[in-house]
Amino acid sequence: MKTVYLIILLALLGWKGYYAWLRGRRQWIQDMQQYQSLWEYLLGNGASVSEVRKLFVKRAQQRAFMPMLKQWRLWTVVAAVGILIWIIF
């Protein structure tokens, strides 16, 4: 039973993680197309590539993980059921 629950939990995490990655990647591409002039402006004013990239990555991560964090109720229920099953069996 523990193995089945672990497999289901890992599949759920993988599924959510994959869609979060897709949302983040899509946001990164969209930002790079939309804000190319901001990228060039920041680089031209002395920011390093890693500093500029950090701004775009941060926005993409927020866009990717916010829907997942809003589903905290689902994650709480899944974790609670898992803990109960782990304790009982």
Side-chain angles (χ1 to χ4, degrees):
M1 186 66 176
K2 289 181 184 181
T3 307
V4 171
Y5 179 72
L6 183 63
I7 290 171
I8 291 171
L9 185 63
L10 289 175
L12 179 65
L13 287 173
W15 176 61
K16 289 291 187 180
Y18 175 70
Y19 282 107
W21 177 79
L22 282 179
R23 278 192 303 269
R25 183 174 177 265
R26 194 169 34 245
Q27 184 65 38
W28 167 266
I29 291 170
Q30 181 182 0
D31 283 351
M32 290 304 294
Q33 291 172 349
Q34 207 169 26
Y35 299 112
Q36 184 65 32
S37 60
L38 175 63
W39 177 278
E40 293 169 358
Y41 173 78
L42 291 172
L43 286 176
N45 283 320
S48 67
V49 174
S50 63
E51 291 172 340
V52 178
R53 187 181 302 131
K54 188 184 299 185
L55 294 172
F56 286 88
V57 168
K58 184 177 178 181
R59 178 171 161 80
Q61 286 176 341
Q62 287 175 347
R63 179 72 180 215
F65 290 114
M66 280 309 208
M68 209 162 63
L69 293 176
K70 289 180 181 178
Q71 296 173 350
W72 63 271
R73 291 183 189 127
L74 170 69
W75 292 105
T76 304
V77 170
V78 169
V81 169
I83 290 170
L84 289 174
I85 289 174
W86 198 271
I87 290 172
I88 293 172
F89 296 106

